[in-house]
Amino acid sequence: MLDAQVHNQLLAYTDRELKLLSQNSTFNHVFKKRVERQFFKDEYIFIEKQTRFIEVPLHSHEYIELVYVYQGKMRQNVNGKDIVQNQGEILLLNQFATHEIEAASDEDIIINFIIEPEFFGRLISLFDSENLITEFILASINGKKRHGEHIHFKVGDNQCIQELVEKIICEIYGDNLIKQIKVHFLVGLLITELLCNIDSSDYYVSVNYNDSLAIMVLKYIEDNYQDASLKEISNQLNQPNYRISRLLKNFTGKTFSELLLEKRMERVIYLLKNTDYSIMEVINMTGYENASHFYKVFRDKYNVSLKYFRDHAK
């Protein structure tokens, strides 16, 4: 149960709602990538209360949206499908979804989590590639040949998820100096809990055979970055090298070698920051055989030497 003060703040009318009530007017709902009336602001996540008493016309947006019904109901049409969200339920929409929203009444309190796709990129390594929510996230991050996709999590009776959302809301209204970090972790944990409750959901996730192959290759790189090779994964999938290369390029905009290097770079950064292994040991642990070349690639990418980065990383 939320703190009484926070609960009352959620129920209170915003300036926009007061204007709507007093003038019985309509307005053109303008969507911005950087909303101005957010409760909480950081680099990747914006959180705001849905404005009541006004319909929201059909639209799409450039971000991923997670909609939580704190109280009452929310009625909308998503990708041509009528959806009613009850109290405690969560709707996850990717940036290609189109939806229109019915006007919320006085007792309908809805919280919108506006999330940059890059935030999910930080979580993707935690998820199983065969899981629907992983496919959804990959679809949201990828900007090519995609359709509107959504997942309706019917988790109103899931106490763990409800407590997580309430913690996030409390952080939004709190004065904690590190609340940005806390909200990042809590939202990541919320997504993970939703992943565990995929069976309690209605979903529309469009992943075709080619995309499934690309997902398998990405998972292969994630799990085998030390000795991964295009030839090996091509043999595993019984596909010619050129087809795997083309699929990856279409799906991510990058080649197999570029993706493998990115993963190895990511691992090098982690090891330099969090361990006392020597630079040469770190390079060997990531599977890079040509140390001299890696030194050059690292400098080209980060504009500093490996030694300089190690000296300042901690």
Side-chain angles (χ1 to χ4, degrees), residues 188-283:
L189 184 57
L190 174 61
I191 296 296
T192 304
E193 285 297 328
L194 291 174
L195 167 63
C196 295
N197 288 271
I198 193 71
D199 293 337
S200 302
S201 66
D202 293 331
Y203 48 82
Y204 173 77
V205 179
S206 173
V207 178
N208 60 34
Y209 176 68
N210 286 344
D211 292 342
S212 296
L213 286 178
I215 290 170
M216 291 178 192
V217 179
L218 293 177
K219 181 65 173 174
Y220 166 78
I221 292 173
E222 185 71 34
D223 294 339
N224 303 277
Y225 61 87
Q226 291 178 307
D227 55 2
S229 73
L230 178 59
K231 180 179 179 181
E232 181 181 26
I233 187 59
S234 297
N235 288 338
Q236 287 183 18
L237 298 178
N238 196 28
Q239 300 289 330
N241 289 7
Y242 72 85
R243 184 159 190 265
I244 295 298
S245 296
R246 186 187 305 146
L247 285 174
L248 280 181
K249 190 68 173 179
N250 290 339
F251 192 82
T252 67
K254 299 175 183 177
T255 66
F256 181 90
S257 296
E258 289 170 338
L259 291 167
L260 180 58
L261 178 60
E262 280 190 5
K263 178 59 189 177
R264 287 174 171 172
M265 284 286 188
E266 175 190 312
R267 189 61 182 166
V268 164
I269 294 295
Y270 174 83
L271 292 172
L272 290 175
K273 285 183 175 180
N274 298 284
T275 74
D276 293 321
Y277 291 117
S278 70
I279 292 177
M280 188 58 64
E281 286 176 321
V282 167
I283 294 175

Side-chain angles (χ1 to χ4, degrees), residues 106-304:
D106 190 78
E107 66 271 14
D108 300 327
I109 306 298
I110 298 146
I111 309 296
N112 294 324
F113 292 69
I114 298 169
I115 307 172
E116 298 282 5
E118 289 82 0
F119 175 78
F120 287 96
R122 297 185 166 207
L123 298 176
I124 199 64
S125 63
L126 302 177
F127 300 142
D128 190 319
S129 66
E130 295 180 357
N131 194 283
L132 287 170
I133 197 168
T134 305
E135 296 173 352
F136 173 86
I137 292 169
L138 286 170
S140 299
I141 295 172
N142 176 37
K144 298 180 180 180
K145 301 178 182 178
R146 288 293 173 177
H147 303 286
E149 300 171 346
H150 64 269
I151 305 176
H152 180 190
F153 295 95
K154 300 179 179 180
V155 290
D157 59 351
N158 186 303
Q159 184 176 356
C160 180
I161 288 176
Q162 300 307 313
E163 289 176 353
L164 266 175
V165 178
E166 289 175 2
K167 285 181 181 179
I168 295 170
I169 294 172
C170 287
E171 287 298 330
I172 294 166
Y173 284 98
D175 297 322
N176 194 317
L177 293 177
I178 62 169
K179 69 180 181 180
Q180 293 182 353
I181 298 173
K182 292 185 71 174
V183 168
H184 272 192
F185 277 105
L186 288 170
V187 172
L189 184 57
L190 174 61
I191 296 296
T192 304
E193 285 297 328
L194 291 174
L195 167 63
C196 295
N197 288 271
I198 193 71
D199 293 337
S200 302
S201 66
D202 293 331
Y203 48 82
Y204 173 77
V205 179
S206 173
V207 178
N208 60 34
Y209 176 68
N210 286 344
D211 292 342
S212 296
L213 286 178
I215 290 170
M216 291 178 192
V217 179
L218 293 177
K219 181 65 173 174
Y220 166 78
I221 292 173
E222 185 71 34
D223 294 339
N224 303 277
Y225 61 87
Q226 291 178 307
D227 55 2
S229 73
L230 178 59
K231 180 179 179 181
E232 181 181 26
I233 187 59
S234 297
N235 288 338
Q236 287 183 18
L237 298 178
N238 196 28
Q239 300 289 330
N241 289 7
Y242 72 85
R243 184 159 190 265
I244 295 298
S245 296
R246 186 187 305 146
L247 285 174
L248 280 181
K249 190 68 173 179
N250 290 339
F251 192 82
T252 67
K254 299 175 183 177
T255 66
F256 181 90
S257 296
E258 289 170 338
L259 291 167
L260 180 58
L261 178 60
E262 280 190 5
K263 178 59 189 177
R264 287 174 171 172
M265 284 286 188
E266 175 190 312
R267 189 61 182 166
V268 164
I269 294 295
Y270 174 83
L271 292 172
L272 290 175
K273 285 183 175 180
N274 298 284
T275 74
D276 293 321
Y277 291 117
S278 70
I279 292 177
M280 188 58 64
E281 286 176 321
V282 167
I283 294 175
N284 291 335
M285 290 170 69
T286 59
Y288 215 93
E289 296 179 355
N290 188 331
S292 298
H293 183 253
F294 191 84
Y295 273 92
K296 181 180 184 304
V297 171
F298 190 93
R299 178 181 285 277
D300 289 344
K301 183 174 179 62
Y302 296 106
N303 295 317
V304 296

